[in-house]
Amino acid sequence: MTIAMGNSDRFSFTLHNITTTVSDIYASVDWWQRVFGLELLATSRFDAINADVAFPQGPGFKLELLRTPDGFRLPELTADPPAHIGPTGTKALVFRVDDLAAATQSFRDHGVALVWSEQDLGDGGVSTAIRDNDGNFINVFQEDASSVG
C-alpha cells in the first residue's frame, strides 16, 4: 500500500501543542515536572470552555493540560493493552529516548506506574510503557535497540 503525501503547496504548518484533560491541574503539572523535567510556561483560564489550563514545555514540544469541573473518565480510554487500541481516537503520547534502560530506571525511581518494561517491539525498537497520574498511556522507546528486529 502506498500513501501519497499530498500537495506540498497547500499550506505550511508545525505542531503547536498536544492537549490532554486532567483531573487535577496542579498534580499533573507536578507529575510532568518531576518525571520528565518539563518547565511550566504559563497557567491560564479558558472561560469559553470552562477550563483551567497549564502549559508545560519539553524539548521540542509543549503540552496543554486542561481541567474542567465537570470532567469525567471513560474507562475504555485508559484500558490495559491491547484493549486500549479498541476505541477510535488518540492512543498514546510517544517519546523517543537514547537510553531506554536509564529512562525506565528513572520511572521506577519516581514511582511511575509501568505498563510494561523494555519490551521488544520486533521492529528494531524497545519500549517501556507508563501511565501518567491520571492513567493516560505514554510510550517511551529507543530505536535500534532490539536484539530481534
Side-chain angles (χ1 to χ4, degrees), residues 20-52:
T20 188
T21 55
V22 298
S23 61
D24 180 326
I25 204 149
Y26 299 107
S28 292
V29 166
D30 177 67
W31 189 90
W32 282 99
Q33 288 177 326
R34 183 173 48 83
V35 175
F36 282 92
L38 301 192
E39 174 188 350
L40 180 62
L41 296 178
T43 59
S44 187
R45 173 86 185 142
F46 288 165
D47 289 328
I49 59 172
N50 191 27
D52 295 316

Side-chain angles (χ1 to χ4, degrees), residues 77-95:
L77 296 179
T78 57
D80 288 331
H84 75 297
I85 63 171
T88 299
T90 304
K91 298 297 143 208
L93 183 58
V94 181
F95 293 108

Side-chain angles (χ1 to χ4, degrees), residues 65-84:
L65 304 176
L66 295 174
R67 189 220 162 258
T68 182
D70 56 352
F72 58 93
R73 181 179 314 279
L74 294 174
E76 297 85 0
L77 296 179
T78 57
D80 288 331
H84 75 297

Side-chain angles (χ1 to χ4, degrees), residues 101-128:
T104 302
Q105 186 58 52
S106 178
F107 298 145
R108 286 188 177 108
D109 293 346
H110 285 95
V112 173
L114 297 178
V115 177
W116 64 68
S117 175
E118 300 180 60
Q119 182 166 329
D120 196 310
L121 301 176
D123 65 354
V126 178
S127 161
T128 292

